[in-house]
Amino acid sequence: MSFLFDITPAELQAIELSIKVAAYCALIITIPAIAIAWVLARKDFVGKSLLDGLVHIPMILPPVVPGFLLLTLFGKQGWLGAMLHQYLGISLAFTWLGAVLASAIMAFPLMVRSVRLSFSQIDQGLEQAASTLGASPSKTFMSISLPLALPGLLTGFILAFSRSLGEFGATITFVGNIEGETRTLPLAIYSYTQMPGGELIAMRLVILCVLISLLALVASNLCERWMLKRVGR
Amino acid sequence: MLHLDIQYSRGDFLLDAKLDWQSQVLGVLGPSGAGKSTLLNLLNGLLTPKSGLIQFNQQILFSSQQKVCLAPHQRRIGMVFQDIRLFPHLNLFENLCYGLRLLPAEQRRFSLDEVLDLLQLRDLLKRHPHQLSGGEAQRVALGRALLMSPQLLLLDEPLSSLDNALKQQIIPYLLAIKQRMNLPMIIVSHDEQEVSQIADQLISLAQGKIIQH
């Protein structure tokens, strides 16, 4: 097992980059996912099915499709990419920020599903009770709905983090496989499997990848159990 | 005090209620499905009438003619729900103070100490709702509604989920609120014997209409 600890600087860079990309990804989608999940769980409106479909479509598409669409939109010649570059000096294609965006698109439906389920399970009578006690809709949301949806939010966060950690297809299509910039763990594993004699390194990264994901899931389960215990479930 | 003249419909159910109420505690009787809880939810703003007027102490809560419809949080009408609805993620102190904390100091009519003593809740403050008996939970729900200093308190079948022994424990608390706090209350029940121990005036709901006793 000692080979597990013989990590090279390039591998360490891939691990650090993966964790950074996954953490940014989970963080930037949290607020939009809460908003969309709440709308889908609580509101009825024309076009709800369309919105639901758009949110979930990355789950059923081959990951290379969102990656290609991102490249088309956010590439330097792309409609949004050209504007971002011209006015803000930001380039997403072939940068780690682009890897965050690609991961975010792929992980977003997982977080929305988890938070939406949580919102759906909240007894709306509790929100009504809060309103009769003088709480405005925003106060009710912040003090009742959101805290009660926290277990689902946490699960969604960990799912998004883990999904981002394993993201491959959209990332390689949109940002390539540039060592030190966009080579996350899955891309590094892929690269080492293509390299003569790289199987051992690939195996080491696979084991580390599994360990990080497992750690995240155990932490999520412990937090969820603690939260559910607090509300007597 | 309360002037009510409203029409409300949902599916086949129609409510056409007219009421002028001046006494302190009004008892509303009627069988299940008569519209008793609906009437309370129309008063507290959780449901909106199709048309009509609801006025309490000169304040218009709803008027279809004047296009006024205050949201529940703007009405200051306390409600004790039949299914209690304590917030499961908050301890009892936080549950009790939920409405109190939202209220400016100058609008607070009852102090926390006063309510804790009246309802004998002092020893329960650190517990969570799932650690309470039915009677204790009912007292906390009453305390929570009192502490938001309502101008009117609505009680939806406050005794229905309790066994006879617990009912006899809760009734003195309701009488104590009536006697010490001078708070207008509407209490809904399907049991005339129960509600007549507390109410000064009784009405019945039948087929969506109010019948005076």
Side-chain angles (χ1 to χ4, degrees), chain B residues 1 21 23-26 56 76 78 109-110 142 145-147 149-154 177-186 200:
Chain B
M1 196 158 52
W21 167 50
S23 61
Q24 194 197 343
V25 181
L26 176 71
F56 185 76
R76 295 255 320 266
R109 280 183 63 192
F110 312 121
L142 264 171
L146 286 174
L147 279 167
S149 301
Q151 52 175 338
L152 166 66
L153 180 62
L154 309 177
I177 292 170
K178 178 185 172 183
Q179 284 154 10
R180 289 199 226 162
M181 296 190 152
N182 190 30
L183 178 67
M185 294 193 278
I186 297 180
D200 307 311

Side-chain angles (χ1 to χ4, degrees), chain A residues 52-67:
Chain A
D52 203 1
L54 282 173
V55 166
H56 289 97
I57 206 163
M59 283 178 79
I60 51 164
L61 284 174
V64 71
V65 174

Side-chain angles (χ1 to χ4, degrees), chain A residues 71-189:
Chain A
L71 191 60
T72 311
L73 272 176
F74 288 97
K76 279 208 172 136
Q77 307 301 319
W79 178 58
L80 285 168
M83 281 206 301
L84 276 176
H85 189 66
Q86 189 181 346
Y87 296 112
L88 300 171
I90 296 171
S91 289
L92 291 174
F94 306 106
T95 65
W96 73 273
L97 278 175
V100 172
L101 180 63
S103 291
I105 298 286
M106 301 308 291
F108 190 65
L110 288 173
M111 195 185 275
V112 169
R113 281 178 84 83
S114 178
V115 182
R116 179 186 182 175
L117 187 68
S118 245
F119 279 136
S120 309
Q121 287 173 340
I122 295 172
D123 175 7
Q124 289 187 47
L126 297 173
E127 292 163 350
Q128 291 180 343
S131 69
T132 65
L133 290 166
S136 62
S138 59
K139 173 74 185 170
T140 301
F141 179 79
M142 294 305 289
S143 61
I144 306 296
S145 318
L146 194 57
L148 288 173
L150 263 185
L153 180 59
L154 186 73
T155 305
F157 190 92
I158 298 297
L159 280 174
F161 182 88
S162 305
R163 177 68 185 83
S164 171
L165 214 56
E167 168 45 37
F168 182 84
T171 307
I172 202 166
T173 313
F174 181 41
V175 296
N177 183 5
I178 306 163
E179 191 178 334
E181 180 64 33
T182 64
R183 185 173 289 174
T184 55
L185 268 173
L187 301 187
I189 292 168

Side-chain angles (χ1 to χ4, degrees), chain A residues 7 9 20 25 27 42 47 72 119 172 182-183 195 202 220 223:
Chain A
I7 302 169
K20 182 166 85 170
C25 158
L27 282 172
R42 290 294 160 83
T72 311
F119 279 136
I172 202 166
T182 64
R183 185 173 289 174
M195 190 191 288
S220 151
C223 287

Side-chain angles (χ1 to χ4, degrees), chain A residues 123 125-126 128-137 139-140 143-144 147-148 229-232, chain B residues 44 46 72-73 77-79 81 83 85-90 98-99 102 128 130 144-145 148:
Chain A
D123 175 7
L126 297 173
Q128 291 180 343
S131 69
T132 65
L133 290 166
S136 62
K139 173 74 185 170
T140 301
S143 61
I144 306 296
L148 288 173
K229 200 175 162 193
R230 248 179 82 85
V231 298
Chain B
N44 66 25
L46 293 177
H73 69 281
I77 294 183
M79 174 95 177
F81 293 88
D83 52 357
R85 302 188 190 180
L86 296 180
F87 305 129
H89 59 302
L90 304 180
Y98 188 88
L102 296 168
H128 274 76
H130 67 276
R144 185 178 68 170
M148 53 87 70

Side-chain angles (χ1 to χ4, degrees), chain A residues 198-209:
Chain A
E199 291 84 0
L200 193 68
I201 303 172
M203 179 53 74
R204 177 160 60 224
L205 293 179
V206 164
I207 293 170
L208 285 170
C209 206

